[in-house]
Amino acid sequence: MNKKQMTLSDCIDKYIEDRPDLSPSTLRGYKVIKRNRFQSVMQMPVKSVRDWQAVYNEDAARLSPKTMQNTWTLIRSACEHCGYSIPRITPLRMHRNVNKGFLPHDEILRFVRDSNGQKYRIAFLLGLHSLRLSEVLALTWSDIDIEKNTISVHRAAVLDEKNHLAIREQTKTDLSTRTIPVFIPELAVELKRRKKYHAGSDRIVSVMPNTIYRAVSQFLDSHGFANGGFHLLRHSFASLCYYLNVPVLVTCTLGGWSDYNTVYRIYTHLERAKIAQSESELTAFFAPKQDKNGSKSGKIESKKSLKINGKQALSDGGSTPPISTRKALELLDFLRDYIEYSH
């Protein structure tokens, strides 16, 4: 084909054709981009596209930054592969509310409790153990060690270009291949109860991804949690690690994150929230109190307590930590023992 006549669609086809070893999920992603992104110029000759920034902005106004990054990476690579020079563009900086991307630590135990009786509860709880949905769908019963109470993550289930589920004998990144402890007792009970009825090669969660996406989304909405999909559960693992003062590097290792930015964003957001909360509580603690006659007094009441990061700092005699805090501390001890054992 004459280079001057190659359309953007032609360039993507050529780029795909020259890469026969693409994974099923990557190939599917490229075809989704070709079918749905940059449609105003997709069938135009590449040389006739004058304002790439305007075309980019048109899609960026309605799509997530990650989607746009993936789209532009393919567009630029495909065009350059076919000999075209593409100008640099400036990504739009869209405001993102990180808080909607995970459950706070004090909601995680309620999520575990309320999920009792849910058809796909095992998938839900695996998500809280940091697993991606692709990793959950690829798990077989041979990956569960009941005696050691661990889960081995080393495969991924992805959709191919025909929307069929394909099992890939590797995870998203090298760091995603990991063995993690089962630290939610309810999950350990479910796995032990069900494993004896299955062959080792049987998949633990044998449904399509959209089935789990819908189940999680509907459950979160109906029980008053933050709106989100399955990935919200994975990010909630990072939220819990922050609350338990687990270092970022350890969180990334347990969760299989090779890019620390996601965990840093969650940690940074929670750190700012903690500072703001602590400042308000300190101010309220020293504020003049009103007596029975309505007059203000500078006296500090001895029975008042100050809570910072959910923990009692001052008290007139102390009190037993609530159940959620006690369980969280037990989890921290378990994680620390696991880290020492791993090294």
Side-chain angles (χ1 to χ4, degrees), residues 145-300:
D145 191 321
I146 298 297
E147 291 185 2
K148 294 182 179 179
N149 205 37
T150 59
I151 305 168
S152 177
V153 183
H154 56 95
R155 284 186 298 267
V158 296
L159 293 175
D160 62 20
E161 59 180 310
K162 296 181 180 179
N163 278 339
H164 296 154
L165 205 61
I167 304 298
R168 188 174 61 188
E169 293 297 326
Q170 62 184 41
T171 50
K172 185 175 181 180
T173 66
D174 290 340
L175 286 179
S176 298
T177 299
R178 61 204 189 276
T179 298
I180 59 176
V182 179
F183 55 80
I184 299 178
E186 290 84 348
L187 178 60
V189 171
E190 290 281 349
L191 293 173
K192 184 176 182 179
R193 180 175 66 85
R194 296 192 187 187
K195 184 175 182 178
K196 57 186 176 182
Y197 299 111
H198 294 274
S201 59
D202 290 348
R203 285 169 51 213
I204 296 175
V205 182
S206 55
V207 296
M208 295 295 284
N210 282 343
T211 301
I212 302 300
Y213 279 127
R214 285 193 298 269
V216 171
S217 181
Q218 291 171 3
F219 176 79
L220 291 170
D221 182 62
S222 63
H223 286 74
F225 293 105
N227 294 329
F230 189 85
H231 219 61
L232 174 144
L233 303 179
R234 173 168 162 78
H235 287 181
S236 299
F237 173 80
S239 166
L240 178 59
C241 286
Y242 168 84
Y243 175 69
L244 297 176
N245 296 315
V246 178
V248 171
L249 181 59
V250 176
T251 300
C252 291
T253 301
L254 291 172
W257 279 284
S258 58
D259 180 2
Y260 296 171
N261 288 331
T262 297
V263 177
Y264 273 122
R265 281 198 300 269
I266 295 173
Y267 270 44
T268 299
H269 175 85
L270 289 169
E271 187 68 26
R272 289 171 179 167
K274 183 178 73 174
I275 291 172
Q277 177 186 353
S278 299
E279 288 174 349
S280 297
E281 291 175 343
L282 283 166
T283 300
F285 180 78
F286 288 103
K289 308 297 186 297
Q290 289 187 343
D291 60 23
K292 294 181 180 179
N293 297 322
S295 60
K296 294 183 178 180
S297 170
K299 182 180 179 181
I300 298 176

Side-chain angles (χ1 to χ4, degrees), residues 78-124:
C79 290
E80 291 178 352
H81 177 70
C82 295
Y84 295 103
S85 178
I86 302 298
R88 296 176 63 87
I89 57 97
T90 302
L92 294 181
R93 295 187 177 275
M94 307 298 289
H95 175 71
R96 300 177 66 188
N97 188 350
V98 178
N99 190 40
K100 291 184 178 180
F102 56 86
L103 298 174
H105 73 273
D106 55 351
E107 290 190 355
I108 291 176
L109 287 176
R110 181 167 76 87
F111 179 94
V112 173
R113 182 185 68 246
D114 290 356
S115 66
N116 186 31
Q118 290 292 311
K119 183 176 182 180
Y120 301 111
R121 191 189 195 198
I122 283 183
F124 291 8

